[in-house]
Amino acid sequence: MKAIQVMTRILIEPELLPTTIEFYENLFGEECNLRFKYKEYNLELAGVGSVLLIAGPAEVIEDFKKTSLTILVDSLEEFQEYLLGEGSRVIDEIKSVPTGRNMRIQHPDGTVVEYVEFGT
């Protein structure tokens, strides 16, 4: 069980995505390493370093504000078992997403976190 990366989520309007990607590429000195459309929610996502940019219509973005951060992990099942044993609760069960699989968990302190396992 390993957390691979913690990503800060930044929610933006779709027209700001290209300039926001460029800003973070310049800030961090690295290129965008993740970019895809999440058609189910009418979103486009991009990753630059430890930042996850989520672009979409205001009414869709509103639901995504409830989730504080995204953690990339090597095994959703292992993290789910561990987190439940520590008093967390499942908000969204493990499901397929464009990058692999994810789940949303509420930690005992109330923080809502998206956990993602790439490519499965």
Side-chain angles (χ1 to χ4, degrees):
M1 183 175 92
K2 180 179 178 185
I4 299 166
Q5 183 179 13
V6 177
M7 300 187 81
T8 301
R9 298 160 64 103
I10 298 175
L11 309 171
I12 59 173
E13 297 174 8
E15 61 273 8
L16 297 176
L17 187 59
T19 57
T20 305
I21 290 171
E22 184 179 350
F23 172 81
Y24 283 102
E25 286 178 330
N26 292 333
L27 180 67
F28 296 148
E30 55 186 277
E31 293 185 13
C32 178
N33 61 353
L34 174 73
R35 189 163 181 183
F36 64 95
K37 292 184 187 239
Y38 197 166
K39 293 180 183 179
E40 181 180 345
Y41 292 102
N42 195 25
L43 297 173
E44 188 168 358
L45 288 81
V48 181
S50 61
V51 170
L52 179 62
L53 303 169
I54 303 173
E59 63 275 6
V60 176
I61 289 293
E62 190 60 36
D63 285 340
F64 283 77
K65 288 180 179 178
K66 299 171 188 166
T67 304
S68 298
L69 55 111
T70 296
I71 301 177
L72 307 179
V73 299
D74 64 346
S75 172
L76 287 176
E77 287 82 8
E78 288 181 38
F79 270 88
Q80 185 178 56
E81 182 180 336
Y82 170 78
L83 291 163
L84 291 175
E86 294 295 315
S88 297
R89 73 177 185 88
V90 175
I91 294 175
D92 292 321
E93 291 288 343
I94 297 171
K95 69 176 191 275
S96 293
V97 295
T99 56
R101 301 183 310 148
N102 81 346
M103 67 180 175
R104 279 192 326 136
I105 300 284
Q106 184 176 34
H107 292 178
D109 65 3
T111 303
V112 176
V113 177
E114 174 193 33
Y115 288 84
V116 176
E117 181 182 338
F118 277 150
T120 56

